Coordinates of all heavy atoms in Angstrom, one line a residue:
T1 N 16.1 -17.7 -30.2 CA 15.4 -16.4 -29.9 C 16.1 -15.3 -30.5 O 17.3 -15.1 -30.3 CB 15.4 -16.2 -28.3 OG1 14.8 -17.4 -27.7 CG2 14.6 -15.0 -27.9
P2 N 15.4 -14.4 -31.2 CA 16.0 -13.2 -31.8 C 16.6 -12.4 -30.8 O 16.2 -12.3 -29.7 CB 14.8 -12.5 -32.5 CG 13.8 -13.6 -32.7 CD 14.0 -14.5 -31.6
K3 N 17.7 -11.7 -31.2 CA 18.5 -10.8 -30.2 C 17.6 -9.8 -29.5 O 17.8 -9.5 -28.4 CB 19.6 -10.1 -31.0 CG 20.5 -9.3 -30.2 CD 21.6 -8.7 -31.1 CE 22.4 -7.7 -30.3 NZ 23.4 -7.1 -31.2
N4 N 16.6 -9.2 -30.2 CA 15.9 -8.1 -29.6 C 14.4 -8.5 -29.3 O 13.5 -7.7 -29.3 CB 15.8 -6.9 -30.6 CG 17.2 -6.3 -30.8 OD1 17.9 -6.2 -29.8 ND2 17.5 -5.8 -32.0
A5 N 14.2 -9.8 -28.9 CA 12.9 -10.3 -28.6 C 12.4 -10.0 -27.2 O 13.2 -9.9 -26.3 CB 12.8 -11.8 -28.9
L6 N 11.1 -9.7 -27.1 CA 10.5 -9.6 -25.8 C 10.6 -11.0 -25.1 O 10.4 -12.0 -25.8 CB 9.1 -9.2 -26.0 CG 8.2 -9.2 -24.7 CD1 7.5 -7.9 -24.6 CD2 7.2 -10.3 -24.8
S7 N 10.9 -11.0 -23.8 CA 10.9 -12.3 -23.1 C 10.1 -12.2 -21.8 O 9.9 -11.2 -21.2 CB 12.3 -12.8 -22.8 OG 12.9 -11.9 -21.9
V8 N 9.4 -13.4 -21.5 CA 8.6 -13.5 -20.3 C 9.2 -14.6 -19.4 O 9.4 -15.7 -19.9 CB 7.1 -13.8 -20.6 CG1 6.3 -13.9 -19.4 CG2 6.6 -12.7 -21.6
S9 N 9.5 -14.3 -18.2 CA 10.1 -15.3 -17.3 C 9.0 -16.2 -16.7 O 7.8 -15.8 -16.8 CB 10.9 -14.6 -16.1 OG 10.0 -14.0 -15.3
Q10 N 9.4 -17.3 -16.1 CA 8.4 -18.2 -15.5 C 7.7 -17.5 -14.3 O 6.5 -17.8 -14.1 CB 9.1 -19.4 -15.0 CG 9.6 -20.3 -16.1 CD 10.2 -21.6 -15.5 OE1 10.6 -21.7 -14.4 NE2 10.3 -22.6 -16.4
S11 N 8.3 -16.5 -13.7 CA 7.6 -15.8 -12.6 C 6.7 -14.7 -13.1 O 6.0 -14.0 -12.3 CB 8.6 -15.2 -11.7 OG 9.4 -14.2 -12.3
G12 N 6.6 -14.5 -14.5 CA 5.8 -13.4 -15.0 C 6.5 -12.1 -15.4 O 5.8 -11.2 -15.8
G13 N 7.7 -12.0 -15.1 CA 8.5 -10.8 -15.4 C 8.6 -10.7 -16.9 O 8.8 -11.7 -17.6
I14 N 8.6 -9.5 -17.4 CA 8.7 -9.2 -18.9 C 10.0 -8.4 -19.1 O 10.2 -7.3 -18.4 CB 7.5 -8.5 -19.4 CG1 6.2 -9.3 -19.2 CG2 7.7 -8.1 -20.9 CD1 5.0 -8.6 -19.6
T15 N 10.8 -8.8 -20.0 CA 12.0 -8.1 -20.4 C 11.8 -7.5 -21.8 O 11.5 -8.3 -22.7 CB 13.3 -8.9 -20.3 OG1 13.4 -9.5 -19.0 CG2 14.5 -8.2 -20.7
I16 N 12.0 -6.2 -22.0 CA 11.9 -5.6 -23.3 C 13.2 -4.9 -23.5 O 13.5 -3.9 -22.9 CB 10.7 -4.6 -23.3 CG1 9.4 -5.4 -23.0 CG2 10.6 -3.9 -24.7 CD1 8.2 -4.4 -22.8
P17 N 14.0 -5.4 -24.4 CA 15.3 -4.6 -24.7 C 14.9 -3.4 -25.5 O 14.0 -3.3 -26.3 CB 16.0 -5.6 -25.6 CG 15.0 -6.6 -26.2 CD 13.9 -6.6 -25.2
G18 N 15.7 -2.3 -25.2 CA 15.5 -1.1 -25.9 C 14.5 -0.2 -25.2 O 14.3 -0.2 -24.0
T19 N 13.8 0.6 -26.0 CA 12.8 1.6 -25.5 C 11.4 1.0 -25.6 O 11.0 0.5 -26.6 CB 12.9 2.9 -26.4 OG1 14.2 3.4 -26.3 CG2 12.0 3.9 -25.8
L20 N 10.6 1.3 -24.6 CA 9.2 0.9 -24.5 C 8.4 2.2 -24.7 O 8.5 3.1 -24.0 CB 8.8 0.3 -23.2 CG 7.4 0.0 -23.0 CD1 6.9 -1.0 -24.0 CD2 7.1 -0.5 -21.5
A21 N 7.6 2.2 -25.8 CA 6.8 3.4 -26.1 C 5.3 3.0 -25.8 O 4.9 2.0 -26.3 CB 6.9 3.8 -27.5
V22 N 4.6 3.7 -24.9 CA 3.3 3.3 -24.6 C 2.4 4.5 -25.0 O 2.6 5.6 -24.7 CB 3.2 3.1 -23.0 CG1 1.8 2.8 -22.6 CG2 4.1 2.1 -22.6
T23 N 1.3 4.1 -25.7 CA 0.3 5.1 -26.2 C -0.9 5.1 -25.3 O -1.7 6.0 -25.4 CB -0.1 4.9 -27.7 OG1 -0.6 3.6 -27.8 CG2 1.2 5.1 -28.6
G24 N -1.0 4.2 -24.4 CA -2.2 4.1 -23.5 C -1.7 4.3 -22.1 O -0.6 4.9 -21.9
K25 N -2.5 3.9 -21.1 CA -2.1 4.0 -19.7 C -1.3 2.8 -19.2 O -1.3 1.8 -19.8 CB -3.3 4.2 -18.9 CG -4.2 3.0 -18.8 CD -5.4 3.3 -17.9 CE -6.2 2.0 -17.8 NZ -7.2 2.0 -16.8
I26 N -0.6 3.0 -18.1 CA 0.1 2.0 -17.5 C -0.5 1.8 -16.1 O -0.6 2.8 -15.4 CB 1.6 2.3 -17.4 CG1 2.2 2.4 -18.8 CG2 2.3 1.2 -16.6 CD1 3.7 2.8 -18.8
N27 N -0.8 0.6 -15.7 CA -1.4 0.4 -14.4 C -0.4 -0.2 -13.5 O 0.0 -1.4 -13.8 CB -2.6 -0.5 -14.5 CG -3.4 -0.7 -13.2 OD1 -2.9 -0.3 -12.2 ND2 -4.6 -1.1 -13.3
I28 N 0.2 0.5 -12.5 CA 1.2 0.0 -11.7 C 0.5 -0.5 -10.3 O -0.6 -0.1 -10.0 CB 2.3 1.0 -11.3 CG1 1.7 2.3 -10.7 CG2 3.0 1.3 -12.6 CD1 2.8 3.3 -10.3
G29 N 1.2 -1.4 -9.7 CA 0.6 -2.0 -8.5 C 0.5 -1.0 -7.3 O 1.4 -0.2 -7.1
G30 N -0.6 -1.2 -6.5 CA -0.8 -0.3 -5.4 C -0.5 -1.2 -4.1 O -0.9 -2.3 -4.0
F31 N 0.0 -0.6 -3.1 CA 0.4 -1.3 -1.9 C 0.2 -0.4 -0.6 O 0.4 0.9 -0.7 CB 1.9 -1.6 -1.9 CG 2.3 -2.6 -3.0 CD1 2.7 -2.1 -4.2 CD2 2.3 -3.9 -2.8 CE1 3.1 -2.9 -5.2 CE2 2.6 -4.8 -3.8 CZ 3.1 -4.3 -5.0
A32 N -0.1 -1.0 0.5 CA 0.0 -0.3 1.8 C 1.5 -0.1 2.0 O 2.3 -0.9 1.6 CB -0.6 -1.2 2.9
V33 N 1.9 1.0 2.6 CA 3.3 1.2 2.9 C 4.0 0.0 3.5 O 5.1 -0.4 3.0 CB 3.5 2.5 3.7 CG1 4.9 2.7 4.1 CG2 3.0 3.7 3.0
G34 N 3.4 -0.6 4.5 CA 4.0 -1.7 5.2 C 4.1 -3.0 4.4 O 4.7 -3.9 4.7
S35 N 3.4 -3.0 3.2 CA 3.3 -4.2 2.4 C 4.1 -4.0 1.1 O 4.0 -4.9 0.2 CB 1.9 -4.5 2.0 OG 1.1 -4.8 3.2
L36 N 4.9 -2.9 0.9 CA 5.7 -2.8 -0.3 C 6.7 -3.9 -0.3 O 7.3 -4.3 0.7 CB 6.5 -1.4 -0.2 CG 5.7 -0.2 -0.5 CD1 6.4 1.1 -0.1 CD2 5.4 -0.1 -2.0
P37 N 6.8 -4.5 -1.5 CA 7.7 -5.7 -1.7 C 9.1 -5.3 -1.6 O 9.5 -4.1 -1.7 CB 7.3 -6.2 -3.1 CG 6.8 -5.0 -3.8 CD 6.2 -4.1 -2.8
S38 N 10.0 -6.3 -1.5 CA 11.4 -6.1 -1.6 C 11.6 -5.5 -3.0 O 11.1 -6.0 -3.9 CB 12.2 -7.4 -1.4 OG 12.0 -7.9 -0.2
G39 N 12.4 -4.5 -3.1 CA 12.5 -3.8 -4.4 C 13.8 -4.1 -5.0 O 14.8 -4.6 -4.5
T40 N 13.8 -3.8 -6.3 CA 15.0 -3.8 -7.2 C 15.2 -2.4 -7.7 O 14.2 -1.8 -8.1 CB 14.8 -4.8 -8.3 OG1 14.6 -6.1 -7.8 CG2 16.0 -4.9 -9.2
L41 N 16.4 -1.9 -7.7 CA 16.6 -0.5 -8.2 C 15.8 -0.2 -9.4 O 15.9 -1.0 -10.4 CB 18.1 -0.4 -8.5 CG 18.5 1.0 -9.0 CD1 18.2 2.1 -7.9 CD2 20.0 1.1 -9.3
G42 N 15.0 0.8 -9.3 CA 14.3 1.3 -10.5 C 12.8 0.9 -10.5 O 12.0 1.3 -11.2
D43 N 12.4 0.0 -9.5 CA 11.0 -0.4 -9.4 C 10.1 0.8 -9.1 O 10.6 1.7 -8.4 CB 10.8 -1.5 -8.3 CG 11.4 -2.8 -8.7 OD1 11.8 -3.1 -9.8 OD2 11.4 -3.7 -7.8
I44 N 8.9 0.8 -9.6 CA 7.9 1.8 -9.3 C 6.6 1.2 -8.9 O 6.2 0.1 -9.4 CB 7.7 2.7 -10.6 CG1 9.0 3.4 -11.0 CG2 6.6 3.7 -10.4 CD1 8.9 4.1 -12.3
A45 N 6.0 1.8 -7.9 CA 4.7 1.3 -7.4 C 4.0 2.5 -6.9 O 4.5 3.6 -7.0 CB 4.9 0.2 -6.3
Y46 N 2.8 2.3 -6.3 CA 2.2 3.4 -5.6 C 1.7 2.9 -4.2 O 1.4 1.8 -4.1 CB 1.1 4.1 -6.4 CG -0.3 3.4 -6.5 CD1 -1.2 3.6 -5.5 CD2 -0.6 2.6 -7.5 CE1 -2.4 2.9 -5.5 CE2 -1.8 1.9 -7.6 CZ -2.7 2.1 -6.6 OH -3.9 1.4 -6.7
V47 N 1.7 3.8 -3.3 CA 1.2 3.5 -1.9 C -0.2 4.1 -1.8 O -0.5 5.2 -2.4 CB 2.2 4.1 -0.8 CG1 3.5 3.3 -0.9 CG2 2.4 5.5 -1.0
N48 N -1.0 3.5 -1.0 CA -2.4 3.9 -0.9 C -2.8 4.2 0.5 O -4.0 4.4 0.8 CB -3.3 2.9 -1.5 CG -3.1 1.5 -0.9 OD1 -2.6 1.3 0.2 ND2 -3.4 0.5 -1.7
D49 N -1.8 4.3 1.4 CA -2.2 4.6 2.8 C -1.2 5.5 3.5 O -0.9 5.4 4.7 CB -2.3 3.3 3.6 CG -1.0 2.6 3.9 OD1 0.0 2.8 3.1 OD2 -0.9 1.8 4.8
A50 N -0.6 6.4 2.7 CA 0.5 7.3 3.3 C -0.2 8.4 4.1 O -1.4 8.8 3.8 CB 1.3 7.9 2.2
T51 N 0.5 9.0 5.0 CA 0.0 10.2 5.8 C -0.1 11.4 4.9 O -1.0 12.2 5.0 CB 0.8 10.5 7.0 OG1 2.2 10.6 6.6 CG2 0.7 9.3 8.0
V52 N 0.8 11.5 4.0 CA 0.8 12.6 3.0 C 1.4 12.0 1.7 O 2.0 10.9 1.7 CB 1.7 13.8 3.4 CG1 1.2 14.5 4.6 CG2 3.1 13.4 3.5
V53 N 1.1 12.6 0.5 CA 1.7 12.2 -0.7 C 3.2 12.2 -0.5 O 3.8 13.3 -0.2 CB 1.2 13.0 -1.9 CG1 2.0 12.6 -3.2 CG2 -0.3 12.9 -2.1
P54 N 3.9 11.1 -0.8 CA 5.4 11.1 -0.6 C 6.1 12.1 -1.4 O 5.9 12.2 -2.7 CB 5.8 9.7 -1.0 CG 4.5 8.9 -1.0 CD 3.4 9.8 -1.3
A55 N 6.9 13.0 -0.8 CA 7.7 14.0 -1.5 C 8.9 13.3 -2.2 O 9.4 12.2 -1.8 CB 8.2 15.0 -0.6
K56 N 9.4 13.8 -3.3 CA 10.6 13.3 -4.0 C 11.7 13.0 -3.0 O 12.2 13.8 -2.3 CB 11.0 14.2 -5.1 CG 12.1 13.7 -5.9 CD 12.5 14.6 -7.0 CE 13.6 14.0 -7.9 NZ 14.0 14.9 -9.0
G57 N 12.1 11.7 -3.0 CA 13.3 11.3 -2.2 C 13.0 11.0 -0.8 O 13.9 10.6 0.0
I58 N 11.7 11.2 -0.3 CA 11.3 11.0 1.1 C 10.5 9.7 1.2 O 9.6 9.4 0.4 CB 10.5 12.1 1.6 CG1 11.2 13.5 1.4 CG2 10.1 11.9 3.0 CD1 12.5 13.6 2.2
A59 N 10.9 8.9 2.2 CA 10.1 7.6 2.4 C 8.7 7.9 2.8 O 8.5 8.8 3.6 CB 10.9 6.8 3.4
P60 N 7.8 7.1 2.3 CA 6.4 7.3 2.7 C 6.1 6.8 4.1 O 6.9 5.9 4.6 CB 5.6 6.4 1.7 CG 6.6 5.4 1.3 CD 7.9 6.0 1.3
V61 N 5.2 7.4 4.8 CA 4.8 7.0 6.2 C 3.4 6.5 6.1 O 2.5 7.1 5.6 CB 4.9 8.2 7.1 CG1 4.5 7.8 8.5 CG2 6.4 8.7 7.1
A62 N 3.1 5.3 6.7 CA 1.8 4.7 6.7 C 0.9 5.4 7.7 O 1.4 6.1 8.6 CB 1.9 3.2 7.1
G63 N -0.4 5.2 7.5 CA -1.3 5.7 8.6 C -2.3 6.7 8.0 O -3.1 7.3 8.8
G64 N -2.4 6.9 6.7 CA -3.4 7.9 6.2 C -4.1 7.3 5.0 O -4.2 6.1 4.8
T65 N -4.6 8.2 4.2 CA -5.3 7.8 3.0 C -4.7 8.4 1.7 O -5.3 8.2 0.6 CB -6.8 8.2 3.1 OG1 -6.9 9.6 3.3 CG2 -7.5 7.5 4.2
A66 N -3.6 9.1 1.9 CA -2.9 9.7 0.7 C -2.3 8.6 -0.2 O -1.9 7.6 0.3 CB -1.8 10.7 1.2
K67 N -2.4 8.9 -1.5 CA -1.8 8.0 -2.5 C -0.7 8.7 -3.2 O -0.8 9.9 -3.5 CB -2.9 7.5 -3.4 CG -4.0 6.7 -2.7 CD -5.3 6.6 -3.5 CE -6.4 5.9 -2.8 NZ -6.7 6.3 -1.4
G68 N 0.3 8.0 -3.6 CA 1.4 8.5 -4.3 C 2.3 7.5 -4.9 O 2.4 6.4 -4.5
V69 N 3.0 7.9 -6.0 CA 4.0 7.0 -6.7 C 5.3 7.0 -5.9 O 5.8 8.1 -5.4 CB 4.2 7.5 -8.1 CG1 5.2 6.7 -8.8 CG2 2.9 7.5 -8.9
V70 N 5.9 5.8 -5.8 CA 7.1 5.6 -5.1 C 8.1 4.9 -6.0 O 7.7 4.2 -6.9 CB 7.0 4.9 -3.7 CG1 6.3 5.8 -2.7 CG2 6.3 3.6 -3.9
F71 N 9.4 5.0 -5.7 CA 10.5 4.5 -6.5 C 11.4 3.8 -5.6 O 11.7 4.3 -4.5 CB 11.1 5.7 -7.2 CG 12.5 5.4 -7.8 CD1 12.5 4.8 -9.1 CD2 13.6 5.8 -7.2 CE1 13.8 4.6 -9.7 CE2 14.9 5.6 -7.8 CZ 14.9 4.9 -9.0
F72 N 11.9 2.6 -6.0 CA 12.9 1.9 -5.1 C 14.3 2.4 -5.5 O 14.7 2.2 -6.7 CB 12.8 0.4 -5.2 CG 13.6 -0.3 -4.2 CD1 13.2 -0.4 -2.9 CD2 14.9 -0.8 -4.5 CE1 14.0 -1.0 -1.9 CE2 15.6 -1.5 -3.6 CZ 15.2 -1.5 -2.2
N73 N 15.0 3.1 -4.6 CA 16.3 3.7 -4.9 C 17.5 2.8 -4.7 O 18.6 3.3 -4.8 CB 16.5 5.0 -4.2 CG 16.7 4.8 -2.7 OD1 16.8 3.7 -2.2 ND2 16.7 5.9 -1.9
G74 N 17.3 1.6 -4.5 CA 18.4 0.6 -4.3 C 18.5 0.3 -2.8 O 19.1 -0.7 -2.5
S75 N 17.9 1.1 -1.9 CA 17.9 0.9 -0.5 C 16.5 0.9 0.1 O 16.2 0.0 0.9 CB 18.7 1.9 0.2 OG 20.1 1.9 -0.2
I76 N 15.7 1.9 -0.3 CA 14.4 2.1 0.3 C 13.4 2.6 -0.8 O 13.9 3.1 -1.8 CB 14.4 3.0 1.5 CG1 14.8 4.4 1.1 CG2 15.2 2.4 2.7 CD1 14.6 5.4 2.2
W77 N 12.1 2.5 -0.5 CA 11.1 3.1 -1.3 C 11.0 4.6 -1.0 O 10.9 4.9 0.2 CB 9.8 2.4 -1.1 CG 9.7 1.0 -1.7 CD1 10.0 -0.1 -1.0 CD2 9.4 0.7 -3.0 NE1 9.8 -1.2 -1.9 CE2 9.5 -0.7 -3.1 CE3 9.1 1.4 -4.2 CZ2 9.2 -1.4 -4.3 CZ3 8.8 0.7 -5.3 CH2 8.9 -0.7 -5.4
V78 N 11.0 5.5 -2.0 CA 10.9 6.9 -1.7 C 9.9 7.5 -2.7 O 9.6 6.9 -3.8 CB 12.3 7.6 -1.8 CG1 13.2 7.1 -0.8 CG2 12.9 7.4 -3.2
G79 N 9.4 8.7 -2.4 CA 8.6 9.4 -3.3 C 9.3 9.7 -4.7 O 10.5 9.9 -4.7
L80 N 8.5 9.7 -5.7 CA 9.1 9.9 -7.1 C 9.0 11.4 -7.5 O 8.0 12.0 -7.5 CB 8.4 9.0 -8.1 CG 9.0 9.0 -9.5 CD1 10.4 8.6 -9.5 CD2 8.2 8.0 -10.3

C-alpha cells in the first residue's frame, strides 16, 4: 500500500492522510440527542431534536425540533 493512500476499514471507516479538500457538500449523520453514538474526539454529527440549537461548547438537550451541529470533545457531545 502506498504511504499516502486512502484506506477503508472493514467497518466502513475511511482514513485519508493529509488534507481533505471538498468542492461539494458533506452530508453528516443526524441523530436524536439520546441516540448520539459513543464518540471519538473530533467526531461531528448533527442533532435533530434539541430544545434549542446547541450553543458552542454546550451539550444539546433533547425534547424539541431544533437542529444543530455537535462535536465530540473527548467527553461529551457539545455545540460546535
Side-chain angles (χ1 to χ4, degrees):
T1 303
K3 180 178 174 183
N4 293 323
L6 172 127
S7 64
V8 180
S9 70
Q10 288 183 343
S11 64
I14 299 173
T15 301
I16 302 170
T19 300
L20 173 64
V22 178
T23 58
K25 65 179 184 164
I26 298 174
N27 188 344
I28 59 177
F31 298 90
V33 173
S35 296
L36 283 164
S38 298
T40 300
L41 179 63
D43 286 353
I44 297 173
Y46 77 86
V47 293
N48 54 26
D49 72 338
T51 53
V52 298
V53 174
K56 183 177 180 181
I58 304 298
V61 176
T65 58
K67 296 162 182 52
V69 178
V70 291
F71 167 81
F72 191 76
N73 68 5
S75 299
I76 62 171
W77 290 94
V78 296
L80 185 57

